[in-house]
């Protein structure tokens, strides 16, 4: 079967609360995660919540990375979705987990756009 993309859904626990609550640091780590995986960064948008928490997205040519943090729980929910075969979403996920000083990470990979036969794409 041929898949258009790979989508990692990561549950990251035991993270450093100060890192999880620092919008600028989270943005920097997420962008670096994308670059380490070989992705081409297009746009970024991050928001700091009050009293705590950060959410953000890194748009890449190959799809996206997202994060939602709960500093009070030491937890981050992360999605890394990449299309094509040049970018490895696991590289981004593992780098990010390390930079958050996480104690534990569980993740699931979902294949996206699964076709039984090679797909012929129309030029629109």
């Amino acid at each position: 079967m041929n898949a258009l993309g790979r989508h990692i859904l990561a549950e990251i626990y035991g993270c450093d609360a100060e890192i999880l609550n620092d919008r600028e640091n989270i943005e920097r780590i997420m962008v670096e995660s994308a670059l380490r995986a070989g992705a081409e960064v297009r746009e970024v948008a991050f928001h700091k919540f009050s009293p705590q928490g950060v959410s953000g997205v890194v748009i890449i040519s190959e799809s996206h990375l997202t994060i939602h943090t709960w500093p009070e729980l030491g937890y981050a929910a992360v999605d890394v979705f990449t299309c094509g075969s040049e970018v490895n979403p696991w590289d981004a996920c593992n780098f990010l987990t390390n930079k958050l000083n996480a104690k534990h990470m569980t993740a699931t990979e979902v294949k996206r756009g699964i076709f039984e036969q090679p797909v012929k794409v129309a030029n629109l």
Side-chain angles (χ1 to χ4, degrees):
M1 295 216 195
N2 299 294
L4 294 178
R6 300 163 65 193
H7 196 162
I8 307 299
L9 307 171
E11 307 284 312
I12 307 176
Y13 300 96
C15 302
D16 183 308
E18 287 186 30
I19 295 171
L20 292 181
N21 207 34
D22 183 337
R23 187 200 62 78
E24 291 175 357
N25 199 16
I26 290 291
E27 180 176 330
R28 187 172 32 258
I29 292 168
M30 290 290 287
V31 168
E32 182 66 20
S33 295
L35 295 172
R36 292 280 180 121
E40 181 179 7
V41 174
R42 293 296 184 163
E43 294 185 44
V44 299
F46 285 79
H47 178 78
K48 170 76 168 69
F49 292 97
S50 180
Q52 60 209 3
V54 174
S55 287
V57 61
V58 176
I59 303 297
I60 58 177
S61 295
E62 301 81 6
S63 196
H64 68 268
L65 292 79
T66 64
I67 190 168
H68 305 282
T69 73
W70 284 261
E72 71 277 21
L73 301 174
Y75 169 75
V78 173
D79 288 9
V80 181
F81 181 19
T82 64
C83 296
S85 60
E86 300 302 311
V87 179
N88 185 344
W90 287 105
D91 289 344
C93 191
N94 290 329
F95 178 81
L96 172 65
T97 299
N98 180 270
K99 287 297 184 180
L100 296 177
N101 295 331
K103 291 183 176 42
H104 182 69
M105 183 265 285
T106 61
T108 302
E109 180 174 334
V110 177
K111 303 286 192 228
R112 304 295 303 268
I114 298 174
F115 295 90
E116 291 182 16
Q117 312 238 336
V119 179
K120 185 174 183 181
V121 179
N123 288 328
L124 301 178

